[in-house]
mmCIF file of all heavy atoms in Angstrom:
data_model
loop_
_atom_site.group_PDB
_atom_site.id
_atom_site.type_symbol
_atom_site.label_atom_id
_atom_site.label_comp_id
_atom_site.label_asym_id
_atom_site.label_seq_id
_atom_site.Cartn_x
_atom_site.Cartn_y
_atom_site.Cartn_z
ATOM 1 N N ARG Z 245 -46.197 18.817 2.836
ATOM 2 C CA ARG Z 245 -46.519 18.477 1.437
ATOM 3 C C ARG Z 245 -45.945 17.229 1.033
ATOM 4 O O ARG Z 245 -46.408 16.594 0.069
ATOM 5 C CB ARG Z 245 -46.320 19.701 0.550
ATOM 6 C CG ARG Z 245 -46.959 21.058 1.010
ATOM 7 C CD ARG Z 245 -46.577 22.074 0.100
ATOM 8 N NE ARG Z 245 -46.942 21.859 -1.354
ATOM 9 C CZ ARG Z 245 -46.075 21.542 -2.275
ATOM 10 N NH1 ARG Z 245 -44.789 21.501 -2.113
ATOM 11 N NH2 ARG Z 245 -46.527 21.319 -3.572
ATOM 12 N N ASP Z 246 -44.828 16.954 1.564
ATOM 13 C CA ASP Z 246 -43.993 15.806 1.195
ATOM 14 C C ASP Z 246 -43.270 15.257 2.415
ATOM 15 O O ASP Z 246 -42.825 16.030 3.249
ATOM 16 C CB ASP Z 246 -43.122 16.233 0.070
ATOM 17 C CG ASP Z 246 -42.447 15.001 -0.674
ATOM 18 O OD1 ASP Z 246 -43.051 14.316 -1.444
ATOM 19 O OD2 ASP Z 246 -41.172 14.796 -0.270
ATOM 20 N N LEU Z 247 -42.874 13.963 2.368
ATOM 21 C CA LEU Z 247 -42.101 13.374 3.418
ATOM 22 C C LEU Z 247 -40.715 14.049 3.561
ATOM 23 O O LEU Z 247 -40.102 13.980 4.624
ATOM 24 C CB LEU Z 247 -41.998 11.853 3.200
ATOM 25 C CG LEU Z 247 -41.551 10.971 4.476
ATOM 26 C CD1 LEU Z 247 -42.588 11.135 5.622
ATOM 27 C CD2 LEU Z 247 -41.616 9.560 3.997
ATOM 28 N N SER Z 248 -40.227 14.576 2.432
ATOM 29 C CA SER Z 248 -38.959 15.258 2.558
ATOM 30 C C SER Z 248 -38.956 16.328 3.542
ATOM 31 O O SER Z 248 -38.019 16.615 4.261
ATOM 32 C CB SER Z 248 -38.431 15.680 1.276
ATOM 33 O OG SER Z 248 -39.476 16.719 0.652
ATOM 34 N N GLU Z 249 -40.091 17.012 3.766
ATOM 35 C CA GLU Z 249 -40.162 18.085 4.665
ATOM 36 C C GLU Z 249 -40.062 17.657 6.177
ATOM 37 O O GLU Z 249 -39.439 18.164 6.992
ATOM 38 C CB GLU Z 249 -41.565 18.828 4.369
ATOM 39 C CG GLU Z 249 -41.592 19.610 3.162
ATOM 40 C CD GLU Z 249 -42.969 20.409 3.148
ATOM 41 O OE1 GLU Z 249 -43.157 21.177 4.248
ATOM 42 O OE2 GLU Z 249 -43.560 20.503 2.032
ATOM 43 N N VAL Z 250 -40.701 16.369 6.340
ATOM 44 C CA VAL Z 250 -40.515 15.816 7.709
ATOM 45 C C VAL Z 250 -39.086 15.538 8.016
ATOM 46 O O VAL Z 250 -38.587 15.804 9.128
ATOM 47 C CB VAL Z 250 -41.320 14.403 7.787
ATOM 48 C CG1 VAL Z 250 -41.203 13.781 9.056
ATOM 49 C CG2 VAL Z 250 -42.855 14.777 7.426
ATOM 50 N N PHE Z 251 -38.436 14.933 7.110
ATOM 51 C CA PHE Z 251 -36.976 14.647 7.308
ATOM 52 C C PHE Z 251 -36.097 15.970 7.581
ATOM 53 O O PHE Z 251 -35.299 15.970 8.357
ATOM 54 C CB PHE Z 251 -36.282 13.900 6.122
ATOM 55 C CG PHE Z 251 -37.011 12.511 5.918
ATOM 56 C CD1 PHE Z 251 -36.945 11.894 4.618
ATOM 57 C CD2 PHE Z 251 -37.685 11.822 6.738
ATOM 58 C CE1 PHE Z 251 -37.441 10.850 4.213
ATOM 59 C CE2 PHE Z 251 -38.351 10.595 6.609
ATOM 60 C CZ PHE Z 251 -38.199 10.118 5.387
ATOM 61 N N VAL Z 252 -36.371 16.912 6.766
ATOM 62 C CA VAL Z 252 -35.618 18.105 6.782
ATOM 63 C C VAL Z 252 -35.896 18.791 8.046
ATOM 64 O O VAL Z 252 -34.976 19.412 8.834
ATOM 65 C CB VAL Z 252 -35.776 19.089 5.699
ATOM 66 C CG1 VAL Z 252 -35.278 20.447 5.785
ATOM 67 C CG2 VAL Z 252 -35.059 18.395 4.400
ATOM 68 N N ASP Z 253 -37.175 18.939 8.451
ATOM 69 C CA ASP Z 253 -37.457 19.642 9.764
ATOM 70 C C ASP Z 253 -36.973 18.934 10.924
ATOM 71 O O ASP Z 253 -36.469 19.682 11.879
ATOM 72 C CB ASP Z 253 -38.930 19.815 9.841
ATOM 73 C CG ASP Z 253 -39.486 20.899 8.858
ATOM 74 O OD1 ASP Z 253 -38.773 21.559 8.368
ATOM 75 O OD2 ASP Z 253 -40.739 20.749 8.486
ATOM 76 N N TYR Z 254 -36.904 17.670 10.838
ATOM 77 C CA TYR Z 254 -36.403 16.872 11.986
ATOM 78 C C TYR Z 254 -34.911 17.204 12.204
ATOM 79 O O TYR Z 254 -34.401 17.445 13.250
ATOM 80 C CB TYR Z 254 -36.594 15.325 11.656
ATOM 81 C CG TYR Z 254 -36.278 14.442 12.881
ATOM 82 C CD1 TYR Z 254 -37.007 14.392 14.062
ATOM 83 C CD2 TYR Z 254 -35.073 13.771 12.916
ATOM 84 C CE1 TYR Z 254 -36.671 13.590 15.161
ATOM 85 C CE2 TYR Z 254 -34.637 12.969 13.961
ATOM 86 C CZ TYR Z 254 -35.531 12.890 15.095
ATOM 87 O OH TYR Z 254 -35.097 12.095 16.152
ATOM 88 N N ALA Z 255 -34.223 17.116 11.020
ATOM 89 C CA ALA Z 255 -32.775 17.419 11.043
ATOM 90 C C ALA Z 255 -32.398 18.755 11.572
ATOM 91 O O ALA Z 255 -31.442 18.858 12.301
ATOM 92 C CB ALA Z 255 -32.216 17.250 9.656
ATOM 93 N N MET Z 256 -33.230 19.792 11.172
ATOM 94 C CA MET Z 256 -32.925 21.071 11.665
ATOM 95 C C MET Z 256 -33.341 21.401 13.038
ATOM 96 O O MET Z 256 -32.623 22.306 13.658
ATOM 97 C CB MET Z 256 -33.741 22.122 10.617
ATOM 98 C CG MET Z 256 -33.246 22.027 9.152
ATOM 99 S SD MET Z 256 -33.958 23.469 8.232
ATOM 100 C CE MET Z 256 -32.889 24.810 8.918
ATOM 101 N N ARG Z 257 -34.163 20.676 13.683
ATOM 102 C CA ARG Z 257 -34.789 20.935 14.942
ATOM 103 C C ARG Z 257 -34.190 20.164 16.045
ATOM 104 O O ARG Z 257 -34.314 20.470 17.323
ATOM 105 C CB ARG Z 257 -36.243 21.027 14.943
ATOM 106 C CG ARG Z 257 -36.927 22.001 14.003
ATOM 107 C CD ARG Z 257 -38.342 21.968 13.793
ATOM 108 N NE ARG Z 257 -39.021 22.272 15.102
ATOM 109 C CZ ARG Z 257 -40.408 22.148 15.274
ATOM 110 N NH1 ARG Z 257 -41.110 21.695 14.240
ATOM 111 N NH2 ARG Z 257 -40.889 22.483 16.428
ATOM 112 N N ILE Z 258 -33.465 19.043 15.666
ATOM 113 C CA ILE Z 258 -32.858 18.153 16.696
ATOM 114 C C ILE Z 258 -31.415 18.633 16.800
ATOM 115 O O ILE Z 258 -30.694 18.633 15.832
ATOM 116 C CB ILE Z 258 -33.068 16.670 16.338
ATOM 117 C CG1 ILE Z 258 -34.424 16.118 16.288
ATOM 118 C CG2 ILE Z 258 -32.193 15.770 17.304
ATOM 119 C CD1 ILE Z 258 -35.047 16.203 17.558
ATOM 120 N N GLY Z 259 -31.047 18.707 18.100
ATOM 121 C CA GLY Z 259 -29.717 19.132 18.393
ATOM 122 C C GLY Z 259 -29.019 18.254 19.470
ATOM 123 O O GLY Z 259 -29.712 17.251 19.904
ATOM 124 N N PHE Z 260 -27.834 18.356 19.752
ATOM 125 C CA PHE Z 260 -27.047 17.564 20.746
ATOM 126 C C PHE Z 260 -27.795 17.464 21.991
ATOM 127 O O PHE Z 260 -27.907 16.434 22.561
ATOM 128 C CB PHE Z 260 -25.635 18.091 20.838
ATOM 129 C CG PHE Z 260 -24.762 17.281 21.797
ATOM 130 C CD1 PHE Z 260 -24.122 16.190 21.481
ATOM 131 C CD2 PHE Z 260 -24.680 17.622 23.156
ATOM 132 C CE1 PHE Z 260 -23.358 15.373 22.296
ATOM 133 C CE2 PHE Z 260 -23.949 16.867 24.061
ATOM 134 C CZ PHE Z 260 -23.310 15.742 23.619
ATOM 135 N N ASP Z 261 -28.396 18.568 22.545
ATOM 136 C CA ASP Z 261 -29.028 18.499 23.789
ATOM 137 C C ASP Z 261 -30.228 17.708 23.775
ATOM 138 O O ASP Z 261 -30.765 17.377 24.918
ATOM 139 C CB ASP Z 261 -29.308 20.073 24.214
ATOM 140 C CG ASP Z 261 -27.998 20.785 24.576
ATOM 141 O OD1 ASP Z 261 -27.006 20.122 24.850
ATOM 142 O OD2 ASP Z 261 -28.110 22.022 24.474
ATOM 143 N N ASP Z 262 -30.705 17.357 22.697
ATOM 144 C CA ASP Z 262 -31.937 16.459 22.607
ATOM 145 C C ASP Z 262 -31.598 15.049 22.703
ATOM 146 O O ASP Z 262 -32.483 14.092 22.777
ATOM 147 C CB ASP Z 262 -32.751 16.718 21.273
ATOM 148 C CG ASP Z 262 -33.163 18.119 21.124
ATOM 149 O OD1 ASP Z 262 -33.816 18.558 22.146
ATOM 150 O OD2 ASP Z 262 -32.887 18.874 20.178
ATOM 151 N N LEU Z 263 -30.329 14.697 22.624
ATOM 152 C CA LEU Z 263 -29.968 13.284 22.491
ATOM 153 C C LEU Z 263 -29.803 12.551 23.965
ATOM 154 O O LEU Z 263 -29.216 13.149 24.773
ATOM 155 C CB LEU Z 263 -28.486 13.111 22.010
ATOM 156 C CG LEU Z 263 -28.374 13.769 20.388
ATOM 157 C CD1 LEU Z 263 -27.026 13.448 19.936
ATOM 158 C CD2 LEU Z 263 -29.440 13.240 19.483
ATOM 159 N N PRO Z 264 -30.329 11.479 24.194
ATOM 160 C CA PRO Z 264 -30.203 10.744 25.387
ATOM 161 C C PRO Z 264 -28.702 10.310 25.478
ATOM 162 O O PRO Z 264 -27.944 10.203 24.583
ATOM 163 C CB PRO Z 264 -31.040 9.454 25.091
ATOM 164 C CG PRO Z 264 -31.977 9.746 24.044
ATOM 165 C CD PRO Z 264 -31.291 10.699 23.115
ATOM 166 N N VAL Z 265 -28.373 10.030 26.709
ATOM 167 C CA VAL Z 265 -26.901 9.852 26.988
ATOM 168 C C VAL Z 265 -26.473 8.563 26.456
ATOM 169 O O VAL Z 265 -25.272 8.560 25.737
ATOM 170 C CB VAL Z 265 -26.771 9.700 28.661
ATOM 171 C CG1 VAL Z 265 -25.316 9.245 28.847
ATOM 172 C CG2 VAL Z 265 -26.997 11.029 29.243
ATOM 173 N N ASN Z 266 -27.304 7.564 26.321
ATOM 174 C CA ASN Z 266 -26.895 6.245 25.640
ATOM 175 C C ASN Z 266 -26.698 6.426 24.104
ATOM 176 O O ASN Z 266 -25.939 5.760 23.559
ATOM 177 C CB ASN Z 266 -27.817 5.106 26.130
ATOM 178 C CG ASN Z 266 -29.253 5.311 25.709
ATOM 179 O OD1 ASN Z 266 -29.661 6.407 25.421
ATOM 180 N ND2 ASN Z 266 -30.131 4.318 25.859
ATOM 181 N N VAL Z 267 -27.456 7.271 23.660
ATOM 182 C CA VAL Z 267 -27.321 7.510 22.052
ATOM 183 C C VAL Z 267 -25.970 8.303 21.792
ATOM 184 O O VAL Z 267 -25.366 7.976 20.744
ATOM 185 C CB VAL Z 267 -28.501 8.397 21.602
ATOM 186 C CG1 VAL Z 267 -28.319 8.888 20.260
ATOM 187 C CG2 VAL Z 267 -29.782 7.545 21.635
ATOM 188 N N VAL Z 268 -25.722 9.148 22.730
ATOM 189 C CA VAL Z 268 -24.340 9.889 22.442
ATOM 190 C C VAL Z 268 -23.288 8.857 22.662
ATOM 191 O O VAL Z 268 -22.374 8.861 21.691
ATOM 192 C CB VAL Z 268 -24.130 10.999 23.634
ATOM 193 C CG1 VAL Z 268 -22.856 11.542 23.526
ATOM 194 C CG2 VAL Z 268 -25.151 12.132 23.314
ATOM 195 N N LYS Z 269 -23.267 8.084 23.544
ATOM 196 C CA LYS Z 269 -22.283 6.919 23.896
ATOM 197 C C LYS Z 269 -22.246 6.081 22.579
ATOM 198 O O LYS Z 269 -21.160 5.753 22.114
ATOM 199 C CB LYS Z 269 -22.556 6.143 25.107
ATOM 200 C CG LYS Z 269 -21.654 5.005 25.327
ATOM 201 C CD LYS Z 269 -20.270 5.566 25.672
ATOM 202 C CE LYS Z 269 -19.287 4.531 26.154
ATOM 203 N NZ LYS Z 269 -19.707 3.917 27.480
ATOM 204 N N GLU Z 270 -23.392 5.625 22.089
ATOM 205 C CA GLU Z 270 -23.361 4.680 20.968
ATOM 206 C C GLU Z 270 -22.820 5.336 19.663
ATOM 207 O O GLU Z 270 -22.046 4.634 19.033
ATOM 208 C CB GLU Z 270 -24.701 4.238 20.713
ATOM 209 C CG GLU Z 270 -24.812 2.752 20.026
ATOM 210 C CD GLU Z 270 -24.011 1.672 20.755
ATOM 211 O OE1 GLU Z 270 -24.161 1.637 21.933
ATOM 212 O OE2 GLU Z 270 -23.301 0.961 20.075
ATOM 213 N N ALA Z 271 -23.128 6.624 19.405
ATOM 214 C CA ALA Z 271 -22.685 7.285 18.393
ATOM 215 C C ALA Z 271 -21.152 7.375 18.319
ATOM 216 O O ALA Z 271 -20.329 7.115 17.377
ATOM 217 C CB ALA Z 271 -23.120 8.742 18.272
ATOM 218 N N LYS Z 272 -20.498 7.517 19.511
ATOM 219 C CA LYS Z 272 -18.993 7.533 19.707
ATOM 220 C C LYS Z 272 -18.470 6.218 19.498
ATOM 221 O O LYS Z 272 -17.355 6.076 18.767
ATOM 222 C CB LYS Z 272 -18.664 8.026 21.103
ATOM 223 C CG LYS Z 272 -18.930 9.566 21.255
ATOM 224 C CD LYS Z 272 -18.315 10.166 22.409
ATOM 225 C CE LYS Z 272 -19.123 9.724 23.728
ATOM 226 N NZ LYS Z 272 -18.635 10.466 24.961
ATOM 227 N N ARG Z 273 -19.223 5.154 19.886
ATOM 228 C CA ARG Z 273 -18.614 3.740 19.643
ATOM 229 C C ARG Z 273 -18.638 3.562 18.082
ATOM 230 O O ARG Z 273 -17.659 2.931 17.602
ATOM 231 C CB ARG Z 273 -19.573 2.813 20.387
ATOM 232 C CG ARG Z 273 -19.339 2.647 21.783
ATOM 233 C CD ARG Z 273 -20.582 2.109 22.595
ATOM 234 N NE ARG Z 273 -20.993 0.834 22.041
ATOM 235 C CZ ARG Z 273 -20.662 -0.399 22.490
ATOM 236 N NH1 ARG Z 273 -19.718 -0.574 23.398
ATOM 237 N NH2 ARG Z 273 -21.271 -1.457 21.952
ATOM 238 N N ARG Z 274 -19.637 4.065 17.438
ATOM 239 C CA ARG Z 274 -19.595 3.801 16.017
ATOM 240 C C ARG Z 274 -18.713 4.534 15.264
ATOM 241 O O ARG Z 274 -18.080 4.145 14.210
ATOM 242 C CB ARG Z 274 -21.093 4.195 15.541
ATOM 243 C CG ARG Z 274 -22.274 3.409 16.072
ATOM 244 C CD ARG Z 274 -21.906 1.900 16.213
ATOM 245 N NE ARG Z 274 -22.797 1.206 17.095
ATOM 246 C CZ ARG Z 274 -23.911 0.594 16.738
ATOM 247 N NH1 ARG Z 274 -24.148 0.585 15.380
ATOM 248 N NH2 ARG Z 274 -24.638 0.091 17.532
ATOM 249 N N ILE Z 275 -18.351 5.740 15.741
ATOM 250 C CA ILE Z 275 -17.186 6.691 15.140
ATOM 251 C C ILE Z 275 -16.030 5.836 15.236
ATOM 252 O O ILE Z 275 -15.113 5.682 14.310
ATOM 253 C CB ILE Z 275 -17.216 7.966 15.726
ATOM 254 C CG1 ILE Z 275 -18.481 8.766 15.373
ATOM 255 C CG2 ILE Z 275 -16.046 8.773 15.264
ATOM 256 C CD1 ILE Z 275 -18.690 10.060 16.073
ATOM 257 N N LEU Z 276 -15.760 5.384 16.425
ATOM 258 C CA LEU Z 276 -14.455 4.648 16.740
ATOM 259 C C LEU Z 276 -14.296 3.481 15.730
ATOM 260 O O LEU Z 276 -13.252 3.209 15.211
ATOM 261 C CB LEU Z 276 -14.285 4.289 18.160
ATOM 262 C CG LEU Z 276 -12.995 3.552 18.627
ATOM 263 C CD1 LEU Z 276 -11.782 4.476 18.322
ATOM 264 C CD2 LEU Z 276 -13.017 3.206 20.055
#
Side-chain angles (χ1 to χ4, degrees):
R245 297 179 64 251
D246 188 77
L247 198 55
S248 58
E249 294 188 42
V250 175
F251 298 158
V252 167
D253 288 340
Y254 187 78
M256 294 192 73
R257 296 174 67 180
I258 293 294
F260 181 84
D261 291 338
D262 298 307
L263 306 183
V265 173
N266 56 348
V267 168
V268 172
K269 178 66 174 293
E270 202 60 42
K272 292 189 288 188
R273 282 160 51 93
R274 302 319 168 90
I275 291 169
L276 181 62

